[in-house]
Structure formats: structure tokens, C-alpha cells
Amino acid sequence: MVHPVQVSHVTKRYRRHSRHRPYTLQEAVARGFGGLRPKETILALSEISFDVPCGAMAGIVGANGAGKSTLLRLVGGVGRPDSGSIRTDGRLGAMIDLGVGFHPDLTGRENVRTNGVIGGLTRREINARLDDIVDFAGLRDFIDSPLRTYSSGMWMRLAFAVATAVRPDILLVDEVLAVGDAAFQEKCLARIRDFKARGSSILLVTHQIGLVERLCDLALWLDAGRLVELGPAPQVAQSYLAHVQEAQLAQATD
Amino acid sequence: MARVAAGTYAGSRASLGRRVLYLADLIRELVMRDLKLRYKRSVLGLAWSLLNPLLQFLVFAFVFHWVLPLDIENYPVFLFTGLLVWNWFSGALHGGAGVVVDSVELVRYPRFPILLLPLVSVASHWVHFLLALPVLGAFLALAGIGPYWSWLALPLLMLAQFAFILSLVYLLAAAHVFFRDVQYLLGVALLLGFYLSPVFYDSSIVPERFQLLYRLNPVAVLIDAYRSVLLEGQLPPALPLIILLAGALLMIALGLPVFHRASYRFAEEL
């Protein structure tokens, strides 16, 4: 059985350049093309391997800077691992970075249309679903206003509605869900659960450990780019929580 | 070796027919988006794409008809042809150089085919060129020129010009991500290039001893070819155009992999 998401031995390094790196051609020529090589590289992810089977939901937990979003972006095909491989198969829906794909000067409707087409629908398909998308986002009165007039919550609702307009085979969701109010969050989670029931593979990055315990089948705990634990969601969530409490305790006694 | 399943944006399980249909839709949608964005920012909207060459036209016509008379037959239509060809070239090159940097929201979109960005930019400037063609037609009619059979060669000239611009844009757009003054330097080069191209004068008045060098400028070859086809009803010499097209296709073949490799770092660098 081939899983829709297969990540094996993925390592990603970010380049860090010295302060003197030339950012213009003129500087670069003046310095004989010196200083272009990165000063050092930062290990963002190291040897990460996991699969997400059909109908399974994987939660990614860890402190800020642990590499959760980097991992999600790589699975989404934004950037490329330095080594290892990522294979994804099927239609992708992603809510990774808020506002990606949206332009503030275009109206909600125009943005939905472009986003839908970039996301893999033909123009006809997206036009047929436009009303559903607008209704789900609850933005009927604002859909012909430019996006720059939207609040971040409205922006997010529209993005989620577009990304999930058609059942994706793979759904990637980052913390962005936290932007919406409780009612909309519930609506999103209901939709996510529905996709899961119908066989989508879902990757969820969140700081709400409760969500991981409640919804996920498996979980990954990342720390400084390394995979600390991979296993059944309740188990990983418990050991992560224990670790966090321990760290807090240690800090309090200092 | 790192491997990422690529080209699956239409769904790897989709049929070839659907994929082609989808790709056409995607390009069309992106070109329309580009045009919409350009016109949202100006009050005059679409009219601007016509007004701009017309204003240029008025200034040059004034200078080279009354101030420094060049004595070229049918100068208005001669000039307007040169301006249209040049504007497509310089606008697409300048806009194309910045296309990756200006499209952060698309570059960061999961699975967005970044390879299309330069193509979309050149195509959107080509649409401006097409929109101005009726005005050129009016100029021709007023001068009592044509219609000629040679006009049918126009699509071939546009194809050669499209390929030529695109071949440069792939490299420029990638370079501009890493060196943010590429677009600015290009602007300077274009300003100089304008005078080294036969936009407002006739290339035949370039002295014989410079002609060989002068002909190395692909824009000169293109403008002359357009004029020969549109104004004189004659097909231009084929060889320079064939070399231009072949060279452009070769450059695209070489530039695409460079752009593709660089594109993995775009999201990081923006």
C-alpha cells in the first residue's frame, strides 16, 4: 500500500549569510563576487521520516522554531529538502501561510477564482463552486470588495473555504486555524473530520494539544529539527505535555 | 538525491486532456490576473496601455517631423510600428525581471508552477501589444498602406519576439531574486538600447561600417522585419529571423533548468 504522503530521511538546512553578503549586482562586482557563499547553515530539519496513510490525520507538535512549518511547507512543495525525499500523491489542499495566493488589491471573488485555478481546478469547476465557497466563508456581503479591506479572520475563512472547496487527497493545515472564532473553527474541524472519514490524509500543525489528542491518529513531536517521538497521537501528546511541564517546572525553580 | 513529485498540480491521476485544458486555464487566469492588477492601480485602466504609446508617438513625431526632420516616408505609421515593438520588448523585459520578486504570494503557494511566471509576464505584455494593433491598423489605413498578404506573417514575427523576450526573462527573473538591482540596471540598459534600436529612425541610415555590428541587435532585426511586413508588403530576410528564433529557443532550453534549479531557493530568498 502506497501512502499519499511519504516523507523519508528529509533534511533541510537554511543558509545564513554574513551581514556583508552583497544583495546587489553592483556590490557583488565591486567585491569580486566574494561573500556570496553562506556563512553557515542552520539545520531546520534532520532526518525526518514518516508516512500518512489514507484517512489518517497526523498532528505535528513542538515548540516555536522546532521546524513544524518548514516541514509542512516542504510537504506542500514550497522549497525542497537538501536530502531525503518527499512524495505526495493526489490533490493538495493547503492552509500553511496566511494570505498565500491572495492579492490585497483584488476582490474576494477574483482571488477565489485565481486561487481555485492555481489549486488545480479549471475555470468552469471553480465558477460552479463559487457560491458554496462564499457561503462557507460567510462573506456574501464582502465578496466583491478588495481583500485589503478584510480582517485577518475574514481572510482566513476565505482561504480555508477555497483550499477545501474540493475534497483534497492531502490536506495541510498550519496554526492559521487559530485566527478564526470558535464557531468557524468548529465548522472547519467538522469539514476536516469529514474529509478524513472519506479517506483524505491530513497533516495538522498545532499548539492545541487537546486537538491532537482528540482528532489525530498519529503525531510527530519535533524539537530543534529532530523527530523526538513518532507514534499514536495520545501517547506522543502525553510525552510532549510532560516535557513542557517539566521545562516549566525547571524554569520556575531557577 | 532529493526528490519531490512534481507536476502534479492538476492531479497526478488526471488524464492528459484534462491536464492540457487545465494548463491553458491556469495561464489564462494568471495573465488576466496580471492585467487586472496592473489596471486596478491606475484610474485610466485599460486605456493606459494605448495612451502611453500614443503620447510617446506625439513627442517623437513632433521632434522628428518638425525639430529634426528625418524625412522618412509615412513617418507616423513607421514610428508607431517601432514604438509598439519596442514597448512590448522593454515592458516585458522590465516587468519580467521583477516577476518572481513581485509574486511572493504565488511563489509561496504550495505546488505553484513557478516556471510559468516568466511566461505569464511576457504574455501579459503581449496582450498590450495586441490591444494596440487596431490603432496601428488605423494608422495604416490613414496612410493608405495595404492590406498586404505579407501581413499574414505577423504571427510568426510575434512568435519570434515572444521567444526572444522569454529567453532573456528566465535568466533575468532568477538573477533579480538574488541581486535586487538587476531590474534597475536593466532599466538603464533599456534606456540606452532604445537609441541603439531603429525605433524612431531607419536602420538603413546606420553607416556601412557599423552595419554588421548593428545587426547583432535582435531588436533591430525584429523592428525591421515588422516594418517590412506591415509597411512594404514584403517578407523580411528569413535567415536573421530563423537565427533569432533558434537562438531564443536554445536560450530557453538552457535557461529553464537554471531557473528551475534556482526556483527551489526562491521561497527562502524572498
Side-chain angles (χ1 to χ4, degrees), chain A residues 52-105:
Chain A
V52 187
C54 282
M57 185 152 165
I60 307 178
V61 297
N64 284 327
K68 306 185 297 292
S69 299
T70 300
L71 181 58
L72 215 55
R73 284 196 198 102
L74 289 179
V75 173
V78 180
R80 191 162 88 143
D82 291 294
S83 64
S85 76
I86 294 176
R87 302 197 57 180
T88 55
D89 188 20
R91 186 192 291 279
L92 180 82
M95 286 279 296
I96 303 181
D97 296 291
L98 200 58
V100 154
F102 282 166
H103 198 288
D105 287 345

Side-chain angles (χ1 to χ4, degrees), chain A residues 25 89 101 110 117 120 123, chain B residues 12 22 25 29 40 105 181:
Chain A
L25 207 53
D89 188 20
E110 288 165 340
V117 175
R123 287 165 62 90
Chain B
S12 51
Y22 170 71
D25 255 22
E29 182 62 34
K40 286 255 152 117
E105 75 281 0
D181 60 344

Side-chain angles (χ1 to χ4, degrees), chain A residues 86-207:
Chain A
I86 294 176
R87 302 197 57 180
T88 55
D89 188 20
R91 186 192 291 279
L92 180 82
M95 286 279 296
I96 303 181
D97 296 291
L98 200 58
V100 154
F102 282 166
H103 198 288
D105 287 345
L106 296 174
T107 66
R109 188 186 302 276
E110 288 165 340
N111 271 305
V112 166
R113 206 168 279 153
T114 348
N115 256 263
V117 175
I118 300 172
L121 300 175
T122 62
R123 287 165 62 90
R124 268 175 67 162
E125 288 166 336
I126 190 74
N127 284 333
R129 286 172 175 82
L130 223 125
D131 284 337
D132 288 347
I133 293 171
V134 175
D135 283 339
F136 186 86
L139 290 168
R140 185 143 292 282
D141 297 337
F142 304 96
I143 200 63
D144 289 306
S145 312
L147 235 66
R148 70 182 119 78
T149 63
Y150 283 31
S151 69
S152 57
M154 290 158 79
W155 195 301
M156 196 279 306
R157 269 146 54 193
L158 195 62
F160 186 85
V162 182
T164 58
V166 179
R167 185 181 73 80
D169 299 307
I170 302 162
L171 181 64
L172 310 175
V173 186
D174 203 343
E175 203 56 72
V176 281
L177 218 61
V179 183
D181 56 34
F184 190 74
Q185 248 191 52
E186 274 314 309
K187 217 162 122 181
C188 293
L189 290 176
R191 187 171 260 200
I192 291 175
R193 268 194 297 259
D194 174 49
F195 288 158
K196 178 168 139 53
R198 286 155 64 188
S200 299
S201 305
I202 301 159
L203 260 170
L204 176 78
V205 165
T206 184
H207 287 290

Side-chain angles (χ1 to χ4, degrees), chain B residues 92-103 121 169 172-173 176 182-183 186:
Chain B
L93 217 54
H94 195 263
V99 74
V100 173
V101 172
D102 296 338
S103 313
S121 178
V169 167
L172 289 168
H176 187 59
V182 166
Q183 199 180 29
L186 177 71

